[in-house]
Amino acid sequence: MLPGPCGMLLLGHCGPPLVTSAEATPAFTWWSPFQVKMAEDIDFKYPTRKACAWEISNFCKEVPHGHARIMRCLQNHLDEEDMSTECKSEVMRDQNRMSQDYRLNWRLNKACAADITQLCSGLCNVQSGQSCGGVVLQCLQDNQDNITSSNCQEE
């Protein structure tokens, strides 16, 4: 159990994100820095780790934890016949969550840091607790031709 934004909690068992206003839609939710940090490591995603235990030990056993590498491995094996329905559902749920806020997509967040600063500055102020939602993702999509990092373009 770890102390966190939800009090004492089991890894991966935090409540839903806080919504900053009554008008906020699911695309404009606020994620705590703790939740953003947890998004990069399968060890902090208890429901996914539990649902995909067999898949991780068989498809991803040589993949180091952290930096979203296990999630990428699971995503790469979604079409495997042996992957359980439960694991596929958890991986898809995680992908949906990442598509709502760029900070929950560790690879995109790291690969696109410079382009986000250059092209999308001022849209989201994480330090002030402002919600980001999909605003930055939309900015990157709108500015696709101006992205300078090849790693960002790949993500």
Side-chain angles (χ1 to χ4, degrees), residues 4-153:
C6 301
M8 293 302 286
L9 57 114
L10 291 172
L11 294 179
H13 281 233
C14 188
L18 301 174
V19 178
T20 56
S21 71
E23 300 84 39
T25 63
F28 292 95
T29 54
W30 181 82
W31 295 90
S32 75
F34 184 75
Q35 289 169 306
V36 170
K37 176 67 180 153
M38 286 177 20
E40 78 164 282
D41 195 336
I42 191 74
D43 293 331
F44 292 111
K45 296 180 178 191
Y46 178 76
T48 305
R49 198 179 72 208
K50 181 180 176 186
C52 299
W54 183 88
E55 290 82 354
I56 292 168
S57 66
N58 285 280
F59 300 137
C60 310
K61 63 184 167 197
E62 301 297 322
V63 177
H65 290 217
H67 300 240
R69 290 180 286 240
I70 297 290
M71 288 308 298
R72 162 110 358 130
C73 175
L74 292 171
Q75 290 166 357
N76 290 341
H77 288 91
L78 274 174
D79 294 331
E80 293 285 339
E81 222 175 86
D82 293 344
M83 186 174 263
S84 69
T85 305
E86 295 82 11
C87 182
K88 285 182 184 181
S89 294
E90 282 297 322
V91 173
M92 295 303 294
R93 189 171 67 88
D94 192 68
Q95 286 180 311
N96 288 337
R97 199 174 317 126
M98 287 189 302
S99 71
Q100 293 174 9
D101 193 320
Y102 80 98
R103 294 169 299 153
L104 299 179
N105 185 333
W106 190 89
R107 293 183 311 268
L108 179 88
N109 195 359
K110 296 302 175 198
C112 298
D115 288 302
I116 290 169
T117 300
Q118 181 181 0
L119 302 170
C120 309
S121 65
L123 293 179
C124 173
N125 185 344
V126 178
Q127 286 75 26
S128 72
Q130 178 184 355
S131 61
C132 293
V135 176
V136 173
L137 290 172
Q138 186 63 52
C139 172
L140 288 173
Q141 189 172 7
D142 292 346
N143 289 289
Q144 204 167 314
D145 294 338
N146 300 321
I147 292 175
T148 57
S149 166
S150 60
N151 288 338
C152 182
Q153 290 171 349

